Amino acid sequence: MSKVRIGIVGSRFQADCIAASVKAMPEDAEVVAVASPTPGNAEAFAKRHGIPAYYSDYREMLRDRGVEMISVSAPNRLHARITIDAANAGKHVVCEKPLCVTLEEADAMIDACARAGVLLLYAEELFFAPKYVKAKQMADEGAFGRIHLVKQSEKHSGPHSEWFWDVEQSGGGALMDLGCHGIAFCWWFLGKPNVKSVYAQLSTQVHAGRTVGDDEAITVIEFANGAVGVVENSWNRPGGMDDAIEVFGSKGQTYADMLMGNALPTYSEVGFDYAVEKASSTRGWTYPVFEEHWNYGFPQEMRHFARCVRGKETPISDGETGRVVQQVLYAAYAAAGLGRKISMPFAPKGISKPIDLWKKPELAHATL
């Protein structure tokens, strides 16, 4: 199989993860270009990762015939425009979570890629995280009997980039940023059943001076098969990334902490370079993680997407996956605004961003 040639849109944390992850599976893909509008960023990124071409405008990169697939790691509000432009240029697309900001954008992205005959792949790395994959394998084998409760939590001290805090660019807060992972995970783990209802409790506990978005979120998802998913998210947990799952069934249960089982309990009075994502200090007791990208599932995800482009595998996460997540995000914000459970399907029209359904409950009420 020839290598899939990838162009990355973006030059910050997630773009670094993508570039490093592609290097980890060099037999399947290679990054051949990067684009970033921030002066100097694309060139610096290209030098850091050994990428031959760099652009200040992603549309220039789309004209590069050597690029087959675009990886979108730009702010949420740009996902739809970049994806549609890439599809029109005949490029396959990997879009980071969440898929976009509105359901109308999701539909437009899916339609554009379908019309162009290119793949729209939704980057949900939890589908590839080794511990979580093992838990699902055991569940599918019947190890836990009938699964009735799945919990996923992701908590840390807040986003890497400033745009996340701006709801006009992100569409929401911690629920939009982190909850999209848990929503997708619960749905995938349970076999992708229909969603019956959604409830959420949101608040801004710590960062009111920095954002109007939620920095704490608890979401409860009721599925048509009777199982329940619980998703907990926070931008208020110092000390590094906390990502974990719990699975309960009629015949058993399992727990997994994505990173802590692959960490070295470490004490240092002087500190060192890096411990784990979102850890602000390495002095005192810390838990440096090895093979961090592999534990997250990033290299496995990119290998799968490359093989999908070559027709060797069938996508397990695509634009429709992202649309399911987007609809649950709408319902969760509406539920928090109205203080009640939202029955699905829930697809209000003309919403400019999901968080408006929480901040302006009358918008949610008008759609019911």
Side-chain angles (χ1 to χ4, degrees):
M1 181 181 110
S2 61
K3 294 181 181 181
V4 174
R5 300 181 301 278
I6 300 170
I8 298 175
V9 182
S11 59
R12 302 296 293 272
F13 173 81
Q14 191 58 35
D16 277 316
C17 290
I18 294 162
S21 296
V22 172
K23 281 185 180 179
M25 28 72 75
E27 69 281 1
D28 293 295
E30 60 181 332
V31 178
V32 297
V34 61
S36 172
T38 306
N41 275 22
E43 181 178 8
F45 188 95
K47 288 181 178 178
R48 187 162 68 250
H49 292 284
I51 299 168
Y54 56 88
Y55 303 90
S56 60
D57 188 328
Y58 76 87
R59 289 166 293 192
E60 295 179 38
M61 187 170 69
L62 295 181
R63 291 192 286 270
D64 186 336
R65 294 183 179 180
V67 174
E68 296 178 85
M69 183 169 76
I70 298 295
S71 178
V72 181
S73 63
N76 299 345
R77 66 179 177 85
L78 301 176
H79 287 189
R81 182 71 267 158
I82 295 170
T83 295
I84 293 168
D85 286 346
N88 291 338
K91 313 295 187 185
H92 301 285
V93 180
V94 174
C95 189
E96 285 299 322
K97 58 78 189 173
L99 185 65
C100 49
V101 175
T102 71
L103 282 171
E104 288 87 349
E105 288 179 343
D107 290 335
M109 294 164 72
I110 292 168
D111 182 64
C113 290
R115 284 188 288 104
V118 298
L119 296 176
L120 174 53
L121 303 160
Y122 181 62
E124 181 42 75
E125 70 272 10
L126 296 193
F127 294 0
F128 302 90
K131 291 181 184 178
Y132 296 177
V133 169
K134 180 62 177 179
K136 180 166 171 55
Q137 177 190 341
M138 291 188 292
D140 290 347
E141 291 173 356
F144 315 121
R146 176 187 168 272
I147 305 298
H148 57 83
L149 176 62
V150 178
K151 301 173 70 176
Q152 194 276 338
S153 66
E154 182 174 350
K155 304 169 186 177
H156 55 58
S157 56
H160 294 280
S161 300
E162 282 300 316
W163 66 260
F164 282 95
W165 302 94
D166 180 359
V167 299
E168 297 301 324
Q169 296 197 67
S170 63
L175 173 60
M176 192 85 174
D177 177 31
L178 308 179
C180 55
H181 285 306
I183 292 165
F185 175 82
C186 293
W187 177 71
W188 166 74
F189 195 94
L190 291 166
K192 301 183 177 180
N194 289 334
V195 178
K196 183 178 179 182
S197 71
V198 179
Y199 179 73
Q201 176 66 42
L202 308 178
S203 59
T204 309
Q205 296 287 348
V206 176
H207 298 292
R210 194 172 188 183
T211 183
V212 298
D214 45 292
D215 60 13
E216 293 280 349
I218 299 173
T219 306
V220 180
I221 308 164
E222 182 184 12
F223 293 95
N225 63 4
V228 173
V230 177
V231 180
E232 299 181 18
N233 306 114
S234 176
W235 280 349
N236 303 322
R237 183 194 182 279
M241 174 68 77
D242 183 354
D243 196 306
I245 64 168
E246 301 176 46
V247 177
F248 300 90
S250 59
K251 302 294 183 180
Q253 61 200 49
T254 191
Y255 308 87
D257 187 308
M258 180 187 283
L259 299 175
M260 288 305 292
N262 298 82
L264 287 69
T266 299
Y267 179 83
S268 172
E269 294 183 354
V270 295
F272 49 96
D273 180 46
Y274 179 84
V276 66
E277 181 186 353
K278 300 295 195 309
S280 60
S281 173
T282 56
R283 292 186 176 184
W285 280 104
T286 59
Y287 299 87
V289 173
F290 57 92
E291 298 290 350
E292 185 175 12
H293 290 151
W294 187 263
N295 293 327
Y296 284 136
F298 289 130
Q300 304 93 310
E301 176 185 66
M302 293 306 294
R303 180 178 187 272
H304 170 65
F305 289 157
R307 292 181 64 80
C308 288
V309 167
R310 291 288 180 260
K312 301 294 185 180
E313 295 181 12
T314 300
I316 66 171
S317 184
D318 57 12
E320 294 294 342
T321 302
R323 192 186 190 283
V324 169
V325 173
Q326 197 71 27
Q327 197 168 24
V328 175
L329 287 170
Y330 266 39
Y333 276 109
L338 295 172
R340 51 162 287 191
K341 183 187 294 185
I342 299 295
S343 296
M344 301 293 278
F346 179 73
K349 302 293 185 183
I351 303 300
S352 64
K353 53 188 180 297
I355 197 171
D356 289 348
L357 293 163
W358 174 40
K359 295 294 186 176
K360 303 174 184 177
E362 63 273 14
L363 293 177
H365 183 73
T367 65
L368 298 175

